[in-house]
Each structure stands twice: as structure tokens, then as C-alpha cells.
Amino acid sequence: RRIIHGTSDGRLFSLDAKNGKLDPKFASGGVLDLRAKLDPKVAALSYGPTSAPAVWKNTVIVGVSCDEGPGIAAPGDIRAFDVRTGEEVWRFQTVPRPGELGNETWEGDSWKDRGGANAWGGFSIDVDRGLVFAGLGSAAFDFYGGDRHGANLFANCTIALDAKTGKRVWHFQTLRHDLWDHDLPVYPNLVTVIHDGKKIDAVAQVTKTALVWVFDRVTGKPLWPIEERLVPQS
């Protein structure tokens, strides 16, 4: 048995649950430097887990806190590691690169060096289905969007990933082009509800605005109609 613990300075520890000693077989003497594989120009910036990592089978899934202010920032990517060795298994880039789904929602090269869109609130996992769920934060700069025109996927999204591969299964964006720091503050809760007389496995995403969004856990289809509204420009 192991205790997997992340620290906000960008490290992941594996401890023997019986005696609290570091596991020498994990990463470097029991400690994984999460900054080691970052672009050197952002590796020294704010970066590290602020919520508990999640474990699915032999995989530990890690979200991070990163800069949301102006200027370049470390990425908010969701990363997964072998729980025994510390080797990276997959990485989901929450700000898509060219050729990836969602990159077209960032005008020009505004995706580059972009912080935020991070799963700082942790994860929920449907163990049997192998699904990882997260609520993602706003894109940096979280109170200004003049340098990132577009919907800015996958910021402000409830997202489901394949736990084995890290591939996107479905997503729903609760706010386009956030200018108000309306991060999704926590992972969606796994719930089972009675809807139209049928029992449905679902996820319920709470928000900073006191709205609760409820989706079919497998398909991402909303259980109740959602009306998208424009907001006044200022």
C-alpha cells in the first residue's frame, strides 16, 4: 500500500503506508519532479498540485495549480503517471495545440504559453467504466480576454477522459471566453438520479455561480435543457 501525495511546489511523493518511508522504486528515490518535463521557460513558474491526486488501477492522475495572471505561464495539463515507477503514461493538453480538437477556439497563436484551464480542484473517477472527470478553470489572464479571442476550449469545461489513454470522451463548456474567473471549482460529483422514470448514472457539476449542471455520465448529454445566452458587452 502506498500514499501518493502532491505538493504545490511541483513534486509528487510515494510513501509506504505502513511506515511512511519513501518508496525507492518510484521516480527518484520516491519523489517525482513534475517540473522536469516542462518547457524550461516555464518550469520555474508557479506549478504544482493543490488537490489530492486520483488513482485508477496502476495510474495516478494529477491536476495542478498554475499562474492565471498576465504573461506566460506553466500549462494546466492533466497528467497521469505509473503509480509504481513514476513514468508519465499520458497527458491531456487542456489548451489544445495546432491540429488538436479545440485549437480553433483560440484566435491566432493565443494558445501559446497559456496558463489556466487547469484541474486544480481534483478528480472523480468512475472506476468500473474507466472514466476520469474534472472541472477545469478559466484561462489566463482570468480577468482579461483581449489577447485570446474565441471560446477558449477547454477552459471552464466539465470534461470526461478515458482513464487508460487520457483521450477526451466528452466535454461541456459552462462559459465561453471567461472574463470573470468563473473556474469550475471542483470535480463533478458522481450521482445516480431518477429521470423520466429511469435510473441514470450521472455527474453533477457545481459552480461558483450556484448553478448545478447535470450530465449523463457516459454520453455527456444534459439531463435537463440548457439555454445558452449572450451576455451584455461592456
Side-chain angles (χ1 to χ4, degrees), residues 108-130:
D109 290 334
S110 63
W111 58 271
K112 286 185 176 180
D113 300 325
R114 184 67 59 179
N118 51 323
W120 59 274
F123 305 96
S124 52
I125 296 184
D126 185 324
V127 175
D128 293 334
R129 293 186 174 95

Side-chain angles (χ1 to χ4, degrees), residues 4 11 29 33 42 45 62 71 101 126 131 141 166 184-185 192 194 204 232:
I4 307 296
R11 293 180 294 169
D33 180 3
V42 300
L45 301 178
V62 180
L101 176 69
D126 185 324
L131 293 174
F141 180 23
L184 294 179
T192 301
I194 304 298

